[in-house]
Amino acid sequence: MSETIFSKIIRKEIPADIVYEDDLCLAFKDVNPQAPTHVLIIPKKPIPKLAEATDEDQALLGHLLLKAREIAASLGLGDAYRIAINNGEQAGQTVFHLHLHLLAGRPFSWPPG
Ligand code: AMP
């Protein structure tokens, strides 16, 4: 299975600025923020990327999105935020443990670069 730096963060072997945790997921501040607010929301289950999620992960994937909504509310982001998932190297994925980027605090262009 995929062992990444995020596995070490889940096991608390390396530090992270954690903003939310439950049995299924962990959310922490991105170490290289691309916006004034940049939080990563990850499942504790080490799914390498969205393309490798299965039907069994349906509830887990829903959980991640709903937690993103809750975390955005708890951080006072209102309704001005972006959720992004990079799937695969060519799409910009660098850590192969599924994660949602929660970005806010600046204008976002479309389409994303
Ligand atoms: P991606 O490029 O979509 O795979 O996103 C990976 C993200 O993980 C990047 O935005 C990195 O800045 C972030 N990242 C890598 N290592 C750490 C770390 N130790 N703590 C917090 N964020 C990290």
Side-chain angles (χ1 to χ4, degrees):
M1 210 51 206
S2 57
E3 174 70 19
T4 68
I5 194 155
F6 290 176
S7 311
K8 293 187 170 71
I9 290 175
I10 291 168
R11 295 197 299 265
K12 313 281 167 60
E13 290 171 7
I14 61 169
D17 193 346
I18 293 171
V19 298
Y20 177 80
E21 179 169 17
D22 64 24
D23 288 349
L24 296 176
C25 73
L26 185 69
F28 51 94
K29 293 185 181 168
D30 196 294
V31 78
N32 182 23
Q34 301 302 310
T37 297
H38 189 171
V39 171
L40 301 174
I41 301 152
I42 71 172
K44 290 189 172 174
K45 178 180 176 181
I47 301 167
K49 55 185 171 180
L50 185 61
E52 294 182 38
T54 70
D55 290 350
E56 283 180 12
D57 299 315
Q58 180 171 347
L60 177 59
L61 297 178
H63 185 78
L64 296 176
L65 265 185
L66 292 174
K67 288 302 162 188
R69 180 199 64 182
E70 282 182 27
I71 292 163
S74 74
L75 295 175
L77 303 182
D79 61 359
Y81 55 86
R82 177 172 285 179
I83 302 290
I85 298 175
N86 296 326
N87 184 86
E89 227 165 334
Q90 291 196 343
Q93 187 174 5
T94 57
V95 178
F96 287 83
H97 182 125
L98 175 64
H99 49 282
L100 279 61
H101 295 261
L102 167 61
L103 299 143
R106 66 167 171 82
F108 296 105
S109 60
W110 192 262

